[in-house]
């Protein structure tokens, strides 16, 4: 398939998207209103899913400590979760392509329920490690992304995917706050009980409110026969015009900052001298910023500029953020840098997801979203090691300089290279 030239693909895609729009126009059961409602339900499920995830993230260090796990052991615990998510992301995406977005979301919410159940009975370190296992299929965001991708036209996609960032912000703020409050008031395991009940309710919402078919009928039968995990499939997707180049930018542009974020709990104590509570406030500030940027800014810009322009813009802003981080001295500097930082992060994530799902046939969007979703767990897996070395050997400014150099390189690359993209501006 990779031998087909870009033109044929884009013509074929335009034709299918034309046919898709006709089908969507004619079919009453997936009329505009119904589609809007299903997308809203997807946002709700994603917001709840992330709230429970951040709730358990907040109490995890304390739970681990109370069971006698030291910081190195806790690092292994985080890495375990990262690796599971990394392996699971792509399999989850393929599962969504083959069995539909509804089945995938139900799988994600059910896995969450099992994770919180195991976590709520984690009275020993082995049980705590065991509770990470269901994390392999916990992919609420890619599940919601898949539904949105299936139910929006290519021109509306960046805007609709951007609004998921709102859910992320809400989940981050509500989850972090709730986790802290509930564990302080009712004991360390209480947030896990709440998350367990919440996840079961979430599973129920997915069963009841998401239709069996989210994809237009045309694109059903392409991926039925292939297995759930194959390297050949990943390579096939990477061969579509523009996919490899945009994916490289997606992985490397935010990597140095990603490393900084992973080390942040240590940096906020050592470098900024913050208490746990202040650190929590800082996370909430990030959450609010993310909500504002993704909810208001990203969609607006996506409607006015081409995606290539926005990709270049986010890389350029990232380079500036790197310079700022190299020079920052206090936590207030960091709060100022956080604004362009969150902007670049959000814009890069949304635009690359949007470009990449349009660059592959619609029968492969789930797999592509799965691959996109594995970028973060990849950072989380290698991050603690590389980040630790950078921080110990070269200090905080090294993250900034690395960010600057990498993004100047990528910016030049984006200006020079002619990446074949199907430009779609929203009307």
């Amino acid at each position: 398939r990779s031998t087909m030239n870009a033109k044929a693909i884009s013509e074929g895609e335009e034709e299918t998207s034309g046919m898709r729009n006709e089908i969507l126009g004619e079919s009453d059961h997936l009329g505009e209103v119904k589609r809007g409602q299903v997308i809203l339900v997807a946002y709700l499920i994603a917001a709840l899913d992330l709230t429970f995830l951040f709730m358990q993230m907040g109490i995890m260090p304390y739970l681990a400590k109370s069971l006698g796990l030291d910081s190195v052991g806790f690092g292994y615990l985080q890495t375990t979760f990262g690796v599971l998510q990394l392996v699971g992301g792509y399999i989850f995406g393929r599962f969504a392509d083959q069995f539909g977005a509804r089945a995938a979301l139900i799988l994600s919410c059910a896995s969450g329920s099992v994770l919180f159940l195991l976590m709520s009975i984690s009275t020993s370190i082995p049980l705590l490690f065991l509770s990470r296992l269901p994390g392999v299929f916990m992919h609420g965001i890619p599940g919601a992304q898949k539904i949105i991708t299936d139910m929006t036209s290519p021109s509306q996609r960046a805007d609709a995917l951007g609004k998921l960032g709102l859910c992320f912000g809400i989940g981050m703020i509500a989850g972090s706050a709730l986790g802290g409050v509930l564990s302080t008031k009712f004991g360390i395991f209480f947030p896990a009980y709440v998350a367990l009940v919440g996840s079961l309710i979430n599973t129920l919402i997915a069963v009841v409110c998401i239709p069996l078919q989210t994809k237009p009928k045309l694109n059903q039968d392409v991926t039925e026969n292939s297995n759930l995990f194959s390297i050949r499939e990943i390579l096939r997707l990477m061969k579509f015009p523009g996919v490899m180049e945009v994916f490289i930018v997606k992985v490397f542009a935010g990597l140095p900052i990603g490393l900084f974020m992973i080390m942040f709990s240590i940096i906020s104590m050592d470098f900024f001298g913050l208490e746990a509570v202040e650190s929590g406030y800082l996370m909430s500030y990030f959450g609010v910023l993310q909500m504002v940027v993704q909810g208001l800014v990203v969609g607006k810009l996506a409607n006015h500029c081409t995606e290539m322009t926005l990709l270049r813009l986010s890389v350029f802003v990232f380079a500036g953020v790197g310079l700022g981080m190299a020079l920052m001295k206090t936590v207030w500097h960091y709060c100022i840098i956080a604004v362009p930082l969150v902007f670049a992060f959000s814009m890069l994530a949304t635009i690359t997801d949007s470009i990449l799902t349009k660059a592959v046939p619609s029968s492969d969007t789930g797999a592509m979203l799965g691959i996109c979703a594995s970028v973060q767990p990849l950072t989380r897996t290698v991050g603690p090691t590389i980040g630790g070395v950078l921080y110990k050997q070269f200090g905080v400014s090294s993250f900034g300089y690395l960010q600057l150099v990498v993004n100047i390189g990528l910016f030049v690359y984006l200006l020079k290279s002619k990446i074949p993209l199907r430009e779609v501006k929203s009307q």
Side-chain angles (χ1 to χ4, degrees), residues 267-281:
I267 291 172
S268 66
M269 281 191 316
D270 293 357
F271 187 75
F272 293 136
L274 300 183
E275 302 290 322
V277 179
E278 296 167 319
S279 202
Y281 290 146

Side-chain angles (χ1 to χ4, degrees), residues 8 32 158 162 164 174 176 191 203 206 244 314 316 324 328 342 352 361 377:
E32 203 58 46
L164 261 182
S176 307
T203 312
M244 193 65 180
S314 54
F316 183 71
M328 76 174 171
V342 171
T352 49

